[in-house]
């Protein structure tokens, strides 16, 4: 079993455990044993539960980036990659919901998730051909993070098999982000057509 396979198996076990018992009750040792994984290797690769979250985020990013469209409108490219990330979350739905529930009452966990998500949004922007560096880049990351959080809000309540409500929310939020970009003088073509100016935080 290579490192990628090992990590995927450990992540699956941890999120399954979180779905059953809640995030605060997660034990990497128990998860590794449940999955039949070597404990010493689990300790080396995942010294803390937060390391599992970081690896999970990286797996979601890798899935999105591996299928990133090479061309087409920026909005469409970002939409496709964001929905790829949601497909990864959906595969571990109960565990991810347990993490989000814990984050609502754990500021440190919430901050960690926000930082990891911001890093991911930077990767998605760059993959779509949009710079995430400099002051303007940081504003773009903030705007796309707002899109992601709006999508998360919809996904938590979305019980459809095709995540149609989530797709609608992400599409709408990307339009608003594009309007906000124009409002601050950014010519990044996120939206399909012109719309009323909207402050950037409205996407959150």
């Amino acid at each position: 079993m290579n490192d990628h396979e090992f990590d995927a198996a450990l992540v699956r076990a941890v999120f399954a455990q979180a779905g059953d018992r809640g995030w605060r009750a997660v034990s990497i040792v128990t998860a590794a044993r449940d999955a039949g994984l070597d404990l010493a290797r689990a300790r080396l690769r995942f010294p803390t539960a937060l390391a599992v979250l970081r690896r999970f985020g990286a797996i979601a990013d890798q899935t999105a980036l591996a299928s990133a469209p090479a061309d087409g409108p920026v909005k469409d490219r970002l939409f496709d990659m964001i929905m790829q990330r949601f497909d990864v979350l959906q595969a571990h739905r109960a565990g991810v919901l347990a993490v989000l529930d814990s984050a609502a009452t754990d500021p440190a966990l919430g901050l960690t998730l926000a930082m990891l998500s911001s890093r991911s949004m930077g990767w998605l922007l760059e993959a779509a051909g949009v710079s995430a560096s400099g002051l303007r880049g940081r504003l773009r990351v903030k705007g796309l993070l707002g899109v992601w959080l709006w999508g998360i809000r919809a996904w938590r309540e979305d019980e459809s098999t095709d995540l149609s409500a989530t797709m609608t929310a992400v599409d709408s939020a990307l339009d608003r982000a594009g309007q906000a970009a124009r409002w601050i003088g950014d010519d990044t073509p996120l939206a399909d057509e012109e719309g009323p100016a909207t402050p950037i935080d409205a996407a959150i």
Side-chain angles (χ1 to χ4, degrees), residues 69-86:
D71 50 28
V74 170
K75 178 193 168 183
D76 292 350
R77 296 166 72 180
L78 289 172
F79 177 86
D80 288 346
M81 288 187 286
I82 288 173
M83 291 311 304
Q84 286 288 338
R85 291 191 96 246
F86 274 115

Side-chain angles (χ1 to χ4, degrees), residues 33-59:
R33 284 176 172 159
D34 289 345
L37 301 174
D38 180 72
L39 292 184
R41 191 175 180 185
R43 169 63 180 84
L44 177 65
R45 298 192 62 75
F46 298 97
T48 67
L50 291 181
V52 176
L53 292 181
R54 286 193 291 270
R55 188 69 184 97
F56 180 68
I59 290 171

Side-chain angles (χ1 to χ4, degrees), residues 14-39:
V14 166
F15 275 87
Q17 188 183 103
D20 290 338
R21 308 177 190 176
W23 178 251
R24 291 187 178 88
V26 161
S27 164
I28 294 176
V29 170
T30 301
R33 284 176 172 159
D34 289 345
L37 301 174
D38 180 72
L39 292 184

Side-chain angles (χ1 to χ4, degrees), residues 40-199:
R41 191 175 180 185
R43 169 63 180 84
L44 177 65
R45 298 192 62 75
F46 298 97
T48 67
L50 291 181
V52 176
L53 292 181
R54 286 193 291 270
R55 188 69 184 97
F56 180 68
I59 290 171
D61 290 345
Q62 289 166 347
T63 299
L65 296 170
S67 59
D71 50 28
V74 170
K75 178 193 168 183
D76 292 350
R77 296 166 72 180
L78 289 172
F79 177 86
D80 288 346
M81 288 187 286
I82 288 173
M83 291 311 304
Q84 286 288 338
R85 291 191 96 246
F86 274 115
D87 285 343
V88 176
L89 268 62
Q90 185 70 4
H92 305 276
R93 184 176 180 86
V96 174
L97 290 175
V99 173
L100 295 175
D101 287 343
S102 291
T105 57
D106 183 342
L109 177 59
L111 180 60
T112 297
L113 292 179
M115 293 174 61
L116 292 175
S117 295
S118 293
R119 183 183 304 167
S120 296
M121 296 306 106
W123 273 96
L124 266 56
L125 282 167
E126 293 282 355
V130 180
S131 174
S133 61
L135 176 59
R136 183 155 289 182
R138 290 195 293 273
L139 289 174
R140 290 168 180 159
V141 169
K142 181 180 178 182
L144 193 59
L145 178 61
V147 172
W148 175 251
L149 294 177
W150 189 257
I152 285 287
R153 180 179 179 181
W155 176 77
R156 293 186 70 162
E157 306 298 327
D158 191 351
E159 297 181 357
S160 64
T161 56
D162 61 354
L163 298 183
S164 57
T166 305
M167 287 191 288
T168 298
V170 170
D171 183 71
S172 175
L174 281 169
D175 280 340
R176 294 206 307 275
Q179 294 161 15
R182 287 190 292 273
W183 183 74
I184 63 172
D186 191 343
D187 59 357
T188 301
L190 287 177
D192 290 332
E193 58 186 21
E194 292 294 329
T198 305

